[in-house]
Amino acid sequence: MINTIDKRAVVLISGGGSNLQALIDAVKSKELKLIISAVISNVDSAKGLNKAQKADIPTSCIKHNEFSERINYDRALLKEIEKYKPDYIVLAGFMRILTPYFINQYQGLIINIHPSLLPKFPGLNTHQKAIDNKEKWHGCTVHIVTEDLDGGPPIIQAKIPIKKDDDSFTLSSRVLKREHKIYKKALQLLISGELEYKNKDIWLNQKKLTGPIEMLF
Ligand code: GAR
């Protein structure tokens, strides 16, 4: 029987879905008190779709390349999402820029994970950029999605040192492991109400955060 107080989320993906799998596992182990109502991809070959199907989660695919205008894609995506009446939209490797129209429909309720220590390295190729920039540290950030690309208020970050012999592959695989830990944590803090997004700020237990929570491993 579904617990009516459990929050519901639609997860959007574009690829392998390892973050999705970490969330599915956290739901199963009850670390994360969330119902993943559906998984939607913009790419039909996304391996994450199989992961969702294995967990008996409804899936669908709305291919972005069938729409010439970004706004029309977003309207179709919203229509599909609305079928599930989610409390949150969770972006887990969803490689599309959402229009302000889309974001405004779910203000403060769209969460993203990004593979860098934001505000450093928004956009793509973050691991290579961190190496090229000779950074000592790299990591990942869970943040609220706003119209500012990868610029919404950060919730949690995990930081790792960059090793001398790291390339973008070794670095991304170490960062990904941290992503799997911080995403479920950030979502559970939000769902439980311990963490709130109000007046454009993040509040933890009624105290305004001045920066993201840093998770150490
Ligand atoms: C993850 O590293 C995620 O942070 C990144 O895509 C990867 C998806 O992996 N997302 C972005 O770059 C969004 N701008 P996954 O499909 O195995 O979860």
Side-chain angles (χ1 to χ4, degrees):
M1 207 176 97
I2 288 175
N3 178 349
T4 49
I5 60 168
D6 275 355
K7 299 285 187 189
R8 308 168 70 86
V10 167
V11 180
L12 305 186
I13 60 164
S14 299
S18 70
N19 274 293
L20 167 68
Q21 186 64 57
L23 297 180
I24 292 173
D25 294 344
V27 168
K28 268 195 194 143
S29 68
K30 300 195 177 10
E31 236 179 305
L32 178 58
K33 294 188 181 54
L34 181 70
I35 296 166
I36 301 177
S37 306
V39 172
I40 305 173
S41 174
N42 62 317
V43 180
D44 57 4
S45 59
K47 293 214 169 63
L49 289 172
N50 304 96
K51 293 184 168 88
Q53 284 152 9
K54 274 194 188 140
D56 291 325
I57 298 168
T59 59
S60 50
C61 179
I62 305 191
K63 296 189 210 168
H64 63 274
N65 50 16
E66 289 180 353
F67 296 81
S68 54
E69 305 270 342
R70 199 172 274 278
I71 184 70
N72 292 338
Y73 178 76
D74 278 10
R75 283 185 201 279
L77 186 58
L78 275 169
K79 203 169 163 203
E80 183 66 17
I81 289 170
E82 277 156 15
K83 286 184 191 166
Y84 300 97
K85 305 202 181 320
D87 298 292
Y88 298 99
I89 297 176
V90 173
L91 311 185
F94 186 63
M95 305 307 279
R96 297 266 318 157
I97 295 172
L98 295 165
T99 56
Y101 174 79
F102 183 106
I103 292 167
N104 283 327
Q105 307 300 310
Y106 284 90
Q107 273 218 34
L109 302 172
I110 309 171
I111 324 297
N112 184 40
I113 187 150
H114 183 78
S116 79
L117 296 172
L118 291 170
K120 282 191 174 165
F121 314 123
L124 300 174
N125 305 319
T126 56
H127 310 295
Q128 193 57 52
K129 283 178 188 163
I131 292 170
D132 293 347
N133 215 40
K134 302 198 181 343
E135 295 290 328
K136 287 202 170 78
W137 296 91
H138 186 44
C140 45
T141 308
V142 177
H143 68 95
I144 304 284
V145 174
T146 62
E147 290 180 24
D148 186 7
L149 178 67
D150 296 328
I155 299 173
I156 297 189
Q157 284 188 331
K159 212 171 160 186
I160 58 165
I162 300 183
K163 296 178 184 169
K164 277 207 178 82
D165 56 353
D166 262 329
D167 57 27
S168 65
F169 181 77
T170 57
L171 191 54
S172 71
S173 61
R174 290 211 315 288
V175 168
L176 202 54
K177 285 187 189 144
R178 301 303 191 278
E179 293 187 32
H180 300 162
K181 290 182 193 292
I182 68 169
Y183 215 177
K184 60 185 176 187
K185 178 78 186 162
L187 290 173
Q188 184 54 37
L189 282 172
L190 268 171
I191 287 163
S192 67
E194 275 174 85
L195 198 133
E196 292 170 281
Y197 173 55
K198 50 184 186 192
N199 305 328
K200 301 191 173 171
D201 288 307
I202 305 284
W203 297 70
L204 181 65
N205 298 324
Q206 325 285 341
K207 261 182 91 179
K208 190 160 110 177
L209 290 187
T210 52
I213 301 165
E214 216 176 280
M215 262 182 97
L216 300 168
F217 298 97

